[in-house]
Amino acid sequence: MAKDRFHESVKTALIKEGWTITSDPLIIRIDRVRLEIDLAAEKVFAAEKDGRKIAVEVKGFMNPSAIYDFHAALGQFLNYRLGLQMTDPLRNLYLAVPVDIFNDFFQERFVQVAILQHRLSIITYDPDLEEVIEWKN
């Protein structure tokens, strides 16, 4: 599977925030179904024994139709979240979205309702600065 254009930017942004990349990509196998999530990362906090585990699906929204990209991203997110629930239920899934796309297209009412209804967790990132801007749960 081809990596998103901004894959390395998000990976660098997570590392800057203290995350350790544990899989690139994270492969999930459920019987004959194979899922491939862009990144897996872990962060151990001094006060916690186990720390946090996440998986991140990186999207750049580069097609002329943002709604087409959103359909694809939402479908992947829902399938990947189900796969994680079946195999690694303590790992939280995030959709990584460029901050400019989030501040524009993701503010549309339809998209906002979809985010709420499907409980999307989102990381907004700046691909040029290679930084996470905000975590949205």
Side-chain angles (χ1 to χ4, degrees), residues 101-112 136:
I101 300 296
F102 185 85
N103 289 337
D104 183 25
F105 176 73
F106 272 58
Q107 300 312 307
E108 296 290 337
R109 188 165 53 109
F110 176 84
V111 177
Q112 286 289 303
K136 299 180 177 293

Side-chain angles (χ1 to χ4, degrees), residues 7-20:
H7 180 96
E8 291 301 320
S9 294
V10 172
K11 184 176 175 179
T12 299
L14 290 171
I15 292 168
K16 283 182 180 179
E17 288 212 343
W19 290 91
T20 300

Side-chain angles (χ1 to χ4, degrees), residues 59-125:
K59 293 298 173 202
F61 286 79
M62 301 302 295
N63 285 313
S65 171
I67 194 68
Y68 176 85
D69 283 344
F70 183 71
H71 290 320
L74 178 60
Q76 280 184 303
F77 185 92
L78 295 175
N79 285 325
Y80 293 168
R81 184 170 63 196
L82 177 59
L84 285 171
Q85 288 169 352
M86 294 174 71
T87 61
D88 192 358
L90 298 179
R91 188 175 298 275
N92 295 312
L93 179 62
Y94 286 86
L95 179 65
V97 178
V99 68
D100 59 332
I101 300 296
F102 185 85
N103 289 337
D104 183 25
F105 176 73
F106 272 58
Q107 300 312 307
E108 296 290 337
R109 188 165 53 109
F110 176 84
V111 177
Q112 286 289 303
V113 171
I115 290 168
L116 287 172
Q117 183 168 334
H118 297 293
R119 301 177 339 270
L120 298 184
S121 296
I122 298 171
I123 298 170
T124 61
Y125 66 93

Side-chain angles (χ1 to χ4, degrees), residues 49-63:
K49 198 188 308 182
D50 297 327
R52 284 179 58 199
K53 297 189 328 181
I54 63 170
V56 179
E57 182 60 22
V58 179
K59 293 298 173 202
F61 286 79
M62 301 302 295
N63 285 313

